[in-house]
Amino acid sequence: MKFKRIHAATIGALALAFSASAQTESAPEVQNAAADSAATAPDPLSSAAAVYATFHGDVTDIKQNSFKSANDIQSALSNLGSQNSEQLTRGWMAYSALVASQNPEFRAAVRDIEGFYGKDVFVRGLQNDVRYARSLNGGNSAVNSAMVAGDADSKRLTSTAAFVKEQAYSLHGSGWAKGKVGDSRAIATSLRAQSLRGRPARSDLVTAFTAPGIDSVLVSAGANGAPSVWESVSSAASAIRVPDMKSALGISNKRVAAGKEPIADQIATLAAYRIIGSEGSAAAPMQRAMTEKQTAGCLNMAQLNLQQCVAAAHQHFEVPFCIGEHALADVGRCISKVSQ
């Protein structure tokens, strides 16, 4: 079967060429602008989370629309394939922390410690021991909420991947889809360059994360059985809405997977920074805490596999398989690895 040959090619000779130039460019630091009486700059977590939201907006566009031309396929490939693995990881970590920060018991514990010792001392404690935040009352529950939200996102990516890969088979009967891709290696090389630059967050989604109603969205996102909040977000959406809880299935509490404890600890630490505020002594350590190498490495490999798969494609109908398997399903697997 041609698709199996394409998939096999993702671990073939091109691997050495692509892996030799693994992504090392990290997401740019968010510069804190001076606040005036009218407005304040978005905090680092909100700005980073908007990158993750932008990715899911592109996923929604693909989920809601079938491929009707080669341009549709190339547009989807460019949007999803241009994500920078480190920026996307920071975005996922930030979103997870925003969800975790809504836990009332954890919020109260963080505020109590900050009130007793002062912000600067508390920040030093968070820096000196990454496990500290999660050990506070409500810490594990807060992280569980983040894992529930991540699980919903992973399921969404898996289902969208299945929809996209099915099109790879159904497009066999379309004349345009049997056309030659062209220089597929050049397309793969272009994807690589795009992914090194990254895809910027949409400004309206940056704004959405600072909107008055965002806390109610984040609380709902972490509720057991809640669907992914990103179903309401597309390239045309200007807000993030509370998910429809009627479709909740009652997912049980998550456990942190073996070897993933440090990621769970980082999420709790970021959530604590969110609660006490990102200004002052918390600004720099918050930025550092968003960096997570395991997930970034997993997402980087997903992108390498996408580029290799595209380089091996010959006809347009083959490319949706690459998109579904590597730009969607692989990403879903990467962000679900923290829980079991």
Side-chain angles (χ1 to χ4, degrees), residues 255-329:
R255 290 186 299 167
V256 178
K260 304 300 180 182
E261 295 285 345
I263 302 176
D265 293 336
Q266 279 183 255
I267 290 172
T269 299
L270 282 169
Y273 284 131
R274 166 70 171 189
I275 293 166
I276 65 176
S278 61
E279 68 282 350
S281 59
M286 175 184 276
Q287 290 281 6
R288 290 193 292 270
M290 278 190 279
T291 300
E292 199 288 289
K293 295 184 180 300
Q294 289 188 53
T295 305
C298 183
L299 291 174
N300 183 57
M301 184 56 64
Q303 290 182 325
L304 292 175
N305 285 339
L306 172 66
Q307 294 152 18
Q308 292 160 18
C309 186
V310 169
H314 299 289
Q315 295 171 282
H316 294 302
F317 69 78
E318 297 171 342
V319 178
F321 173 85
C322 301
I323 295 172
E325 182 65 20
H326 303 301
L328 293 167

Side-chain angles (χ1 to χ4, degrees), residues 39-55:
T40 58
D43 67 89
L45 285 183
S46 296
S47 297
V51 172
Y52 185 63
T54 299
F55 166 74

Side-chain angles (χ1 to χ4, degrees), residues 136-309:
L136 300 177
N137 290 341
N140 281 318
S141 296
V143 171
N144 180 75
S145 296
M147 290 192 297
V148 166
D151 184 72
D153 291 353
S154 178
K155 285 180 167 59
R156 162 181 156 85
L157 292 172
T158 299
S159 65
T160 307
F163 168 69
V164 171
K165 286 193 286 186
E166 180 58 33
Q167 291 186 69
Y169 294 95
S170 63
L171 286 174
H172 276 191
S174 299
W176 64 265
K178 296 178 183 179
K180 298 295 183 182
V181 171
D183 190 344
S184 57
R185 287 178 178 267
I187 294 173
T189 299
S190 176
L191 278 179
R192 184 63 179 168
Q194 292 175 51
S195 69
L196 289 173
R197 291 192 300 270
R199 185 162 169 77
R202 284 170 37 204
S203 59
D204 53 348
L205 291 178
V206 175
T207 302
F209 273 103
T210 60
I214 192 62
D215 282 352
S216 62
V217 175
L218 297 170
V219 168
S220 300
N224 282 341
S228 173
V229 302
W230 309 117
E231 296 298 338
S232 67
V233 177
S234 67
S235 61
S238 59
I240 305 171
R241 299 193 297 271
V242 174
D244 180 9
M245 298 297 289
K246 290 185 292 185
S247 60
L249 299 176
I251 302 173
S252 60
N253 285 348
K254 298 289 178 183
R255 290 186 299 167
V256 178
K260 304 300 180 182
E261 295 285 345
I263 302 176
D265 293 336
Q266 279 183 255
I267 290 172
T269 299
L270 282 169
Y273 284 131
R274 166 70 171 189
I275 293 166
I276 65 176
S278 61
E279 68 282 350
S281 59
M286 175 184 276
Q287 290 281 6
R288 290 193 292 270
M290 278 190 279
T291 300
E292 199 288 289
K293 295 184 180 300
Q294 289 188 53
T295 305
C298 183
L299 291 174
N300 183 57
M301 184 56 64
Q303 290 182 325
L304 292 175
N305 285 339
L306 172 66
Q307 294 152 18
Q308 292 160 18
C309 186

